[in-house]
Every structure is written in structure tokens, then in C-alpha cells.
């Protein structure tokens, strides 16, 4: 039995009247009502519910009142579909809209008009969806743009410098194990030597001779080859022949304990030879670093000769009034190398602005004073003022004032430098060879700690080593705010490298109680010094104090960087790394882009650019500032 429902106000009375006859009908709570609706996916669903589960807002409608209801306002006659269980009102609204969109016909005799409130809600929902879609599209475009910009930025920072010349068409790249045969033959030689020793001990003369013969032939086949492509075509046959003789030796002589003992002895012997070779290499390397090439030895001799023959003693440099003007840009260079000093001055002036505001203060020793002065009198840089001084003319720099001079006069230091433990062989007494370099005996190396005494009228000085090359204008360094510090320098520590514990002896309580072992080191070679703060804080006095405490060299080895780190501890302002790039004198794997972008490049280490030891790919940064067409350089056969 189907009983229509209605909710018009006029029908409530009829409902009350009809309730009197409800006893003749079955209980309305037991009536099953078939409900048809569409789910979220658009599929039509049919469910059955009890009429008793309906809410109180649902009323029964009599079939006879249909015509009466049609005369009422259509908004009050809308027949609502029952709400299926476990569905929210939002689901119903979406289902109703999905029904219209999917074209599924509901089992209704006539279409019900949409309530204005529902229409408004649908419009608002549609607008929200459109706005959300537009926002997502916009956000996706922004993310794409950011990713493109990041990719472009990474591409710009990518170092595309060619590290070497490689070609996949070379023979050694034909297979992944390009040196397998070479390694096999070297291993065969080692085993042949081991078996030959055992064969000799057991009087196996023929086997011994055969093993020695094949070892020599294999060694001749390998020679200096490092890949299979470099081997002689007959090498593979030689390896097979060696394999046969080794198989014979194994059958006749193999004993696990004996072979293991012999290989251990051979390993220890090889390690001893390697250590000996390292000591020889270190000694020869240090010796080559100390030597002066013939052209560099020739240049000061020729200059000194001309200085005296042409009566240049009485000549002096123009612009003396600039030497003590604190408003100008002052550079301090302490060196006995004429050619290296000329490169520093030339490279600085080629990139400098306001050429007439630069003053170079050069201090050298008595031996090279005439040559240094003659060079800059003949090759004076345009606009710059030059001052050349002799360190021996500084009468205040004596052993009573300077602890280093007093220590150099001691018998202990003389024995350390000149006797070297009475060594009679190449490698004897080779400990700390680099500290026996003569530069540590020269006061030119320690004069950097006496800048206020050398230049009492100046406020700021830029100190430059003679093994640097300037690639950009340095005048902005005088405008750097040192924030009350004395020294402006580039820090050199990376992770655990070049920190204080690398230079100082922290097992000594004098060091461990006053300094942090993880403090960052910095570079001597390009330093901006505030001489006013220097005088105020008595930096030279601090240097003297620690130098006297290190008379027995237990706090640090010789050199100027360790006492510099101590003297300017907590008094150094870090500069941008691009101001100063180091390592061109020892590290062949530096980043080429960093070198090219640096304001100053430093050839610290043994491989100076004027030596044959120099790293070839770095030499051009220095040689481009050498005046190879100069008369004196051509006279001494110094060619590019």
C-alpha cells in the first residue's frame, strides 16, 4: 500500500481527521519506503527504509487531497526525496546536482522546481570551485617559475672548467678494466720473486734461473706502461709463459706459512724503500725551492752593476711628499726578489683607479737594495709613488729590541740551521726541512710585526707578499670597517683544516690555556692593518712576549704565521674569500673559477711561479705581468 506524503498546512487538519480511521490501516511504522538516489559516482542506488525512521517533518498525504494541494503555492508543495541513511546534507545537494548533470531520470511523475536557496548555494559552490581551481593553477605556475629560476641559477654557478683532456675513443677506454693485464703481470713478478728466493734456499737452481729470467722479461714488457693499451703486443704471451712457470713453482715449492712469511718481508722492505724515497723527494723539493734560477740570479747582478756605473746613487724617486700622507693608499712589500716585486707592483697598478693616489713602500736587504732601486728608477709605474728602503738601515731593529734577532744569534739556533745534526747523507736530519729555509733567518720575513715602527705617520697599510698577483682594484679595502680589529684577513679554515691546532702545540699548557684549538686560521699575504689600533693595543709588545716564550721552539715551529695567529688572536676581522685565494704554490686542484674571480691570488708553497717547479696551469696568472721585453730580462735570457 502506498500512502503519499505531504507537508501543506491545510492538510494537517485532514490528517487529524483521518487519524480516527487509522485503526483500519496497518501501523505506519511498518511501512517500507523505497528510496532512489544517486551516489557520488553518479550511479543510481535503491534503498528501503522504514517509515518510522523518518523525521518528524515528514507527514502523510492523502491521495484525495492532491487537487487541493495543487492550488497552493508551489514552493509549499515540493515533494522531498527521503534522505538515505549515513548521508549528509552536502551529499544530497551534490547528488541532486549530479543527477541533473548525468541525465539520470528519477522516478517522479513531474519535475520539482529548485528552491532559490539551493540555487544560490549551488552558484556559491560553483564560484568557490572556480576560484580554488584558478588559485591552484596560479600556484602551480609560480612553483614552475621558481624551479626554472633555481635551475638557471645552479647552471650559472656550475663550474664547467675542463680539468683535463679526456677522450672516450682512447684505447684504454675500450673496456672497463683497461689495466687488468698490467696488474696481472706486476702481481706475477712479485710472486716470481717470492718463489725465486725459496727456490734458491732449496737449491732449485734451474727453477730459480727460470723465474729470474721470466721476471726480467715481464719487467721489460711492462716498462712504464700504466694501461693495457701501452703494453707491447707480445706482453700477453709473456704473461702466459710466466703463468706456466709460476704453476710449476707452486707445485714444487708452495707452502702457506713460508709464502706468507716471504710476502710479509717483501712488504716491509717495500715500505722502507717508499719512506726513503719520500724523504729524498722532500729533501730535493726543499732544496729546489731554496735555489735561485740563473735568470733571477742574473737580474740583480746586472741591475746593481748599472746602478753604480751610471751613477744612480744620487737619484731618488719623485713624489716624496706622498710617502707620509695618510689619505693615500699605502702598500708595504718586504722582499729580496726584484722580479717578483715588480709583478706585484705592475699587477696592482694595472687594475688600480686614481693612479696618483697609490704609494708603494718596498723594503729589501743590503745585497739587493741597489738592484731593487735601479729597477724602479728605470721602470717606474705611471702615477705611483715608490719608496725603496734597506732593512739594515733600521738601527732600532737590533737584538736588544727584537727577540727573533737575539734568538738567531744563539748557538742553539746556529746549530739547528747550519749543522743540521752533522748529517752526512741525503736524508739524515731531514726533519722539518721546510723550517730550515733561509727565509726564516731573514728579518724581512719578521718585519711585518713592526709596521708602526717602519711607518710611524700612517694610519692604514695594505701588506702584500711578493708571491701574490693582483687581479682587481684593491682600493675598496681601505673602506672596509674592521669593527675595532687590527688585522683584516681572509680565513683559511675549512672544516677541520687550517685551524689553530695545526700550527700550535696544544700539548703545552701555555698554548692550551690561552687559545682555542678550533679557532679559524687566516692568511698572511694580503692583510689590511689598522696602525692606530695597533699602537693602541701594543700589538708589537704582544708579539715580543710570545716570541720570547718560544725560545726553545716548543710552542710552535719557526715561521711567521703561528706567531701571527697568536699575536692577532681575537683581533682579526674576516674578509670576503674572493679577496684572497691561496694554494697556487702547492695545490693543483684549485677551482679555476675562484682563481679568475679573486682579487688576489697567492702562490704560497714551494711551487713559486718563477721556478721550474711551478704548476704549469697557474703560471700564466703570474707571467702575464712580467715585462719580458725589458732590456734587463732579455739580457738575462728570461723568456716567456
Amino acid at each position: 500500500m502506498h500512502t503519499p506524503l505531504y507537508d501543506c498546512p491545510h492538510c494537517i487538519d485532514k490528517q487529524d481527521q483521518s487519524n480516527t480511521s487509522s485503526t483500519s490501516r496497518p501501523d505506519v511504522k511498518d511501512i517500507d519506503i523505497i528510496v532512489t538516489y544517486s551516489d557520488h559516482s553518479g550511479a543510481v542506488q535503491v534503498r528501503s527504509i522504514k517509515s518510522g525512521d523518518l523525521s518528524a517533518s515528514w507527514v502523510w498525504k492523502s491521495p484525495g487531497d492532491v487537487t487541493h494541494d495543487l492550488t497552493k503555492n508551489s514552493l509549499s508543495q515540493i515533494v522531498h526525496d527521503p534522505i538515505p541513511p549515513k548521508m549528509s546534507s552536502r551529499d544530497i545537494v551534490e547528488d541532486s546536482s549530479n543527477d541533473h548533470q548525468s541525465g539520470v531520470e528519477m522516478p517522479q511523475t513531474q519535475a520539482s522546481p529548485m528552491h532559490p536557496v539551493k540555487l544560490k548555494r549551488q552558484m556559491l559552490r560553483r564560484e568557490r570551485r572556480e576560484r580554488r581551481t584558478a588559485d591552484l593553477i596560479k600556484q602551480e605556475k609560480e612553483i614552475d617559475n621558481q624551479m626554472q629560476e633555481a635551475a638557471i641559477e645552479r647552471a650559472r654557478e656550475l663550474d664547467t672548467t675542463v680539468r683535463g683532456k679526456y677522450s672516450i675513443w682512447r684505447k684504454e677506454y675500450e673496456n672497463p678494466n683497461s689495466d687488468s693485464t698490467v696488474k696481472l703481470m706486476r702481481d706475477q713478478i712479485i710472486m716470481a720473486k717470492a718463489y725465486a728466493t725459496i727456490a734458491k734456499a732449496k737449491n732449485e737452481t734451474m727453477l730459480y734461473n727460470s723465474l729470474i729470467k721470466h721476471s726480467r722479461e715481464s719487467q721489460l714488457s711492462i716498462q712504464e706502461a700504466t694501461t693495457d693499451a701501452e703494453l707491447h703486443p707480445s706482453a700477453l704471451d709473456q704473461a702466459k709463459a710466466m703463468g706456466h712457470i709460476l704453476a710449476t713453482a707452486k707445485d714444487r715449492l708452495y707452502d702457506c706459512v713460508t709464502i706468507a712469511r716471504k710476502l710479509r718481508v717483501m712488504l716491509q722492505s717495500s715500505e722502507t724503500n717508499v719512506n726513503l724515497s719520500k724523504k729524498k723527494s722532500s729533501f730535493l723539493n726543499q732544496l729546489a725551492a731554496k735555489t735561485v734560477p740563473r735568470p733571477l740570479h742574473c737580474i740583480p747582478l746586472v741591475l746593481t752593476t748599472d746602478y753604480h756605473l751610471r751613477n744612480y746613487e744620487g737619484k731618488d724617486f719623485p713624489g716624496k711628499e706622498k710617502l707620509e700622507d695618510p689619505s693615500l693608499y699605502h702598500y708595504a712589500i718586504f722582499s729580496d726578489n726584484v722580479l717578483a716585486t715588480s709583478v706585484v707592483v705592475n699587477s696592482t697598478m694595472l687594475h688600480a683607479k686614481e693612479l696618483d693616489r697609490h704609494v708603494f713602500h718596498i723594503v729589501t736587504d743590503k745585497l739587493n737594495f741597489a738592484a731593487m732601486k735601479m729597477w724602479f728608477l728605470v721602470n717606474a709605474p705611471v702615477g705611483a709613488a715608490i719608496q725603496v728602503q734597506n732593512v739594515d738601515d733600521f738601527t732600532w731593529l737590533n737584538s736588544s729590541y727584537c727577540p727573533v734577532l737575539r734568538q738567531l744569534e744563539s748557538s742553539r739556533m746556529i746549530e739547528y740551521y747550519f749543522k743540521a745534526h752533522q748529517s752526512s747523507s741525503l736524508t739524515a736530519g731531514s726533519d722539518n726541512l721546510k723550517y730550515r729555509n733561509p727565509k726564516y733567518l731573514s728579518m724581512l720575513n719578521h718585519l711585518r710585526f713592526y709596521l708602526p715602527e717602519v711607518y710611524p705617520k700612517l694610519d692604514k697599510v695594505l701588506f702584500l707578499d711578493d708571491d701574490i698577483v693582483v687581479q682587481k682594484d684593491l682600493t675598496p679595502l681601505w673602506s672596509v670597517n674592521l669593527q675595532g680589529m687590527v688585522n683584516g684577513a681572509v680565513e683559511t679554515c675549512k672544516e677541520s683544516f687550517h685551524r689553530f691546532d695545526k700550527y700550535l702545540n696544544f700539548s703545552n699548557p701555555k698554548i692550551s690555556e690561552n687559545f682555542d684549538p678550533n679557532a679559524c686560521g687566516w692568511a698572511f699575504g694580503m692583510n689590511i692593518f689598522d696602525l692606530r689600533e695597533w699602537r693602541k693595543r701594543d700589538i708589537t709588545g704582544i708579539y715580543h712576549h710570545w716570541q720570547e716564550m718560544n725560545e726553545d721552539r716548543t710552542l710552535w715551529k719557526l715561521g711567521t704565521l703561528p706567531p701571527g695567529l697568536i699575536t692577532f688572536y681575537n683581533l682579526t676581522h674576516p674578509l670576503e674569500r674572493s679577496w684572497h685565494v691561496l694554494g697556487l704554490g702547492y695545490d693543483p686542484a684549485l677551482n679555476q673559477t675562484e682563481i679568475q674571480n679573486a682579487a688576489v691570488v697567492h702562490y704560497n708553497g714551494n711551487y713559486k711561479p718563477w721556478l721550474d717547479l711551478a704548476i704549469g696551469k697557474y703560471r700564466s696568472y703570474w707571467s702575464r705581468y712580467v715585462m719580458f721585453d725589458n732590456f734587463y730580462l732579455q739580457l738575462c735570457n728570461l723568456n716567456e
Side-chain angles (χ1 to χ4, degrees), residues 392-464:
D392 294 328
D393 292 338
F394 298 152
T395 55
W396 50 267
L397 196 63
N398 50 57
S399 59
S400 61
Y401 176 65
C402 179
V404 172
L405 282 175
R406 186 166 57 253
Q407 292 169 10
L408 290 176
E409 294 175 356
S410 66
S411 58
R412 182 188 303 175
M413 194 69 69
I414 292 173
E415 181 180 1
Y416 179 80
Y417 269 104
F418 299 106
K419 293 185 179 181
H421 307 295
Q422 302 294 338
S423 59
S424 58
S425 63
L426 185 64
T427 57
S430 59
D431 297 337
N432 301 319
L433 280 172
K434 67 178 182 178
Y435 298 113
R436 290 190 170 90
N437 195 310
K439 71 177 183 178
Y440 296 117
L441 294 172
S442 173
M443 277 310 298
L444 290 175
N445 201 42
H446 296 270
L447 195 60
R448 63 192 70 187
F449 294 104
Y450 299 95
L451 287 171
E453 286 86 346
V454 180
Y455 310 112
K457 300 292 182 65
L458 300 182
D459 296 333
K460 276 190 176 182
V461 167
L462 182 64
F463 172 77
L464 298 176

Side-chain angles (χ1 to χ4, degrees), residues 367-380:
L367 184 64
N368 294 280
F369 173 73
M372 190 75 73
K373 186 176 179 181
M374 181 67 182
W375 175 269
F376 285 103
L377 283 172
V378 177
N379 304 288

Side-chain angles (χ1 to χ4, degrees), residues 64-81:
D65 298 329
V66 175
T67 57
H68 176 73
D69 294 334
L70 293 175
T71 61
K72 301 298 180 181
N73 192 334
S74 61
L75 291 177
S76 63
Q77 295 176 356
I78 297 174
V79 179
H80 301 279
D81 290 334

Side-chain angles (χ1 to χ4, degrees), residues 406-560:
R406 186 166 57 253
Q407 292 169 10
L408 290 176
E409 294 175 356
S410 66
S411 58
R412 182 188 303 175
M413 194 69 69
I414 292 173
E415 181 180 1
Y416 179 80
Y417 269 104
F418 299 106
K419 293 185 179 181
H421 307 295
Q422 302 294 338
S423 59
S424 58
S425 63
L426 185 64
T427 57
S430 59
D431 297 337
N432 301 319
L433 280 172
K434 67 178 182 178
Y435 298 113
R436 290 190 170 90
N437 195 310
K439 71 177 183 178
Y440 296 117
L441 294 172
S442 173
M443 277 310 298
L444 290 175
N445 201 42
H446 296 270
L447 195 60
R448 63 192 70 187
F449 294 104
Y450 299 95
L451 287 171
E453 286 86 346
V454 180
Y455 310 112
K457 300 292 182 65
L458 300 182
D459 296 333
K460 276 190 176 182
V461 167
L462 182 64
F463 172 77
L464 298 176
D465 261 342
D466 62 358
D467 56 351
I468 64 102
V469 174
V470 179
Q471 301 186 130
K472 292 183 180 180
D473 180 30
L474 300 182
T475 53
L477 285 171
W478 275 266
S479 302
V480 173
N481 182 8
L482 297 181
Q483 301 179 0
M485 301 298 177
V486 180
N487 174 28
V490 170
E491 293 182 336
T492 57
C493 56
K494 295 179 181 179
E495 297 178 354
S496 62
F497 304 107
H498 294 280
R499 297 188 181 273
F500 270 44
D501 58 355
K502 175 180 174 64
Y503 304 99
L504 305 177
N505 179 19
F506 276 87
S507 63
N508 192 305
K510 296 177 183 177
I511 296 295
S512 59
E513 293 173 2
N514 291 279
F515 304 100
D516 179 9
N518 293 318
C520 190
W522 44 267
F524 254 142
M526 190 215 68
N527 308 80
I528 184 72
F529 290 109
D530 188 337
L531 300 185
R532 291 171 297 184
E533 286 292 330
W534 186 309
R535 299 182 185 100
K536 186 187 302 183
R537 297 175 182 268
D538 189 21
I539 298 300
T540 304
I542 297 175
Y543 165 70
H544 283 173
H545 169 73
W546 285 102
Q547 195 68 52
E548 290 173 351
M549 294 180 67
N550 192 46
E551 185 174 3
D552 54 359
R553 301 190 309 279
T554 57
L555 304 185
W556 68 84
K557 298 296 182 181
L558 297 178
T560 54

